[in-house]
Amino acid sequence: MSPPRNRYFGGRIVIKYDVVLLSHPKDYVKIPFCLDSLRFLNPAPSNVYAVSPHLLKLDGVTCMKDEDAIFIKTDDIKYRRKNWIYQQLVKLLQDFTENDLYMCVDSDLIFNRELTTLKNDRPTFFISNREQHYPAYFTFTKQYLDLERQVPFTFINDFMMFDKNILKQMIPDKTKFVNDINEIVSDTCLLSEFETYGNYVVKYFPEHYNMQQTRVLTHGKFLAEDPWTSDEIKRLVENNADEDIDLFTVHTWT
């Protein structure tokens, strides 16, 4: 496989990227804090897009509804966890960003200190310090791509930089990919956009990315018992500012 091409201008490599923010209504209260924390990304993204079930209005952000993000709808997915699979497909199949490189960010994530997104003309994989291992994800990568697990750590994270050029080689036919997902995905053979893409890159494009460990702190509450408020999140931002963490999450469990 040939590596994806960078853009050259006057003999100098120029790499730009966008941010794609994905959100669910239970996380709308968190979006202003997530967007504000993008200031910690260095260099900054060229554009920010937000994808959500409702059409939001956010200053400086290109907003769209879930149903307009990719060519399929949630109801086209057969697996019982339709919304979960759908948001993964948005990350893997979208083509609305201006740049080929794009960082997908969950809206319940808040960056806490500077992260170098591009270094030495390469994008960065940020590797979480949380340990996760789900055999069903690797059953999928083996069955669909004949791809074994390549690294002893997880690529599962709350954000990841994707490259359209690599995705075009990993998923040459988007319609077939969706149809195949509907055929093979089950509770024991599950798609993970992070594990699939990360291990594919390590196998076929090992020099394309930098890798950097990140320290993550998880906060979470149950929606039915105690929904997050803006004041609570503001206090978390203030309290975590001096903590030795790169980012923290504000999960809402259902």
Side-chain angles (χ1 to χ4, degrees), residues 7 9 14-20 44-49 94-103 118 161-165 167-168:
R7 298 178 180 179
F9 294 91
V14 177
I15 303 179
K16 296 182 179 180
Y17 74 100
D18 299 317
V19 160
V20 177
S46 299
N47 307 284
V48 179
Y49 302 81
Q94 75 79 23
D95 197 27
F96 54 75
T97 57
E98 176 183 336
N99 292 294
D100 289 340
L101 279 176
Y102 59 97
M103 178 186 286
L118 304 172
M161 187 84 81
F162 293 91
D163 189 321
K164 291 182 189 179
N165 296 294
L167 285 166
K168 287 175 183 176

Side-chain angles (χ1 to χ4, degrees), residues 1 4 26 45 74 77 97 100 103 106 111 129 132 135 138 141 169 180 192 195 205 219:
M1 293 188 179
K26 64 183 173 62
T74 307
I77 297 168
T97 57
D100 289 340
M103 178 186 286
D106 292 341
F111 295 105
N129 62 335
Q132 301 189 61
F138 301 105
T141 59
Q169 297 194 43
D180 290 342
S192 165
E195 297 288 27
F205 303 101
H219 302 278

Side-chain angles (χ1 to χ4, degrees), residues 79-130:
Y79 183 64
R80 58 184 178 83
R81 296 180 64 187
K82 295 177 181 290
N83 291 330
W84 179 60
I85 295 293
Y86 189 80
Q87 60 88 22
Q88 293 190 62
L89 293 178
V90 170
K91 295 173 185 176
L92 295 173
L93 305 180
Q94 75 79 23
D95 197 27
F96 54 75
T97 57
E98 176 183 336
N99 292 294
D100 289 340
L101 279 176
Y102 59 97
M103 178 186 286
C104 288
V105 177
D106 292 341
S107 63
D108 60 356
L109 175 159
I110 299 174
F111 295 105
N112 196 61
R113 61 186 177 192
E114 183 174 306
L115 292 175
T116 302
T117 55
L118 304 172
K119 184 178 180 181
N120 298 327
D121 302 322
R122 295 190 294 176
T124 301
F125 266 147
F126 293 98
I127 308 302
S128 174
N129 62 335
R130 294 174 298 192

Side-chain angles (χ1 to χ4, degrees), residues 4-253:
R5 292 175 296 176
N6 292 313
R7 298 178 180 179
Y8 289 82
F9 294 91
R12 181 172 59 92
I13 297 177
V14 177
I15 303 179
K16 296 182 179 180
Y17 74 100
D18 299 317
V19 160
V20 177
L21 183 74
L22 295 102
S23 189
H24 183 275
K26 64 183 173 62
D27 298 319
Y28 286 173
V29 67
K30 308 162 191 175
I31 290 177
F33 300 96
C34 179
L35 288 175
D36 180 65
S37 77
L38 297 182
R39 71 186 190 277
F40 287 116
L41 301 181
N42 181 27
S46 299
N47 307 284
V48 179
Y49 302 81
V51 181
S52 55
H54 308 94
L55 186 60
L56 304 177
K57 293 184 178 180
L58 303 167
D59 290 342
V61 177
T62 300
C63 299
M64 67 187 68
K65 295 173 68 174
D66 285 349
E67 61 194 45
D68 298 321
I70 53 177
F71 66 95
I72 66 165
K73 312 301 180 190
T74 307
D75 288 342
D76 295 329
I77 297 168
K78 294 180 180 179
Y79 183 64
R80 58 184 178 83
R81 296 180 64 187
K82 295 177 181 290
N83 291 330
W84 179 60
I85 295 293
Y86 189 80
Q87 60 88 22
Q88 293 190 62
L89 293 178
V90 170
K91 295 173 185 176
L92 295 173
L93 305 180
Q94 75 79 23
D95 197 27
F96 54 75
T97 57
E98 176 183 336
N99 292 294
D100 289 340
L101 279 176
Y102 59 97
M103 178 186 286
C104 288
V105 177
D106 292 341
S107 63
D108 60 356
L109 175 159
I110 299 174
F111 295 105
N112 196 61
R113 61 186 177 192
E114 183 174 306
L115 292 175
T116 302
T117 55
L118 304 172
K119 184 178 180 181
N120 298 327
D121 302 322
R122 295 190 294 176
T124 301
F125 266 147
F126 293 98
I127 308 302
S128 174
N129 62 335
R130 294 174 298 192
E131 293 186 7
Q132 301 189 61
H133 178 66
Y134 298 98
Y137 296 155
F138 301 105
T139 299
F140 175 86
T141 59
K142 177 61 178 177
Q143 182 172 333
Y144 192 73
L145 294 171
D146 194 24
L147 177 66
E148 303 284 355
R149 189 182 186 191
Q150 301 295 307
V151 294
F153 53 82
T154 181
F155 282 101
I156 296 174
N157 210 338
D158 301 280
F159 65 115
M160 176 177 273
M161 187 84 81
F162 293 91
D163 189 321
K164 291 182 189 179
N165 296 294
I166 292 178
L167 285 166
K168 287 175 183 176
Q169 297 194 43
M170 189 178 91
I171 308 172
D173 186 330
K174 294 181 180 181
T175 300
K176 183 179 184 300
F177 181 70
V178 173
N179 291 337
D180 290 342
I181 292 293
N182 279 331
E183 289 296 321
I184 70 172
V185 164
S186 67
D187 288 347
T188 58
C189 180
L190 282 171
L191 172 67
S192 165
E193 76 279 45
F194 297 132
E195 297 288 27
T196 302
Y197 182 76
N199 282 278
Y200 186 88
V201 168
V202 171
K203 174 70 172 180
Y204 296 110
F205 303 101
E207 302 302 320
H208 187 67
Y209 278 80
N210 304 297
M211 289 195 187
Q212 179 179 325
Q213 290 284 333
T214 55
R215 295 178 61 84
V216 185
L217 179 64
T218 301
H219 302 278
K221 297 200 296 183
F222 287 97
L223 179 63
E225 298 174 2
D226 188 18
W228 288 101
T229 67
S230 182
D231 286 342
E232 287 177 313
I233 300 171
K234 182 179 179 180
R235 285 195 293 272
L236 281 181
V237 172
E238 294 170 348
N239 293 338
N240 286 331
D242 295 326
E243 294 293 323
D244 184 23
I245 54 173
D246 298 293
L247 61 139
F248 61 92
T249 57
V250 189
H251 290 321
T252 298
W253 299 310

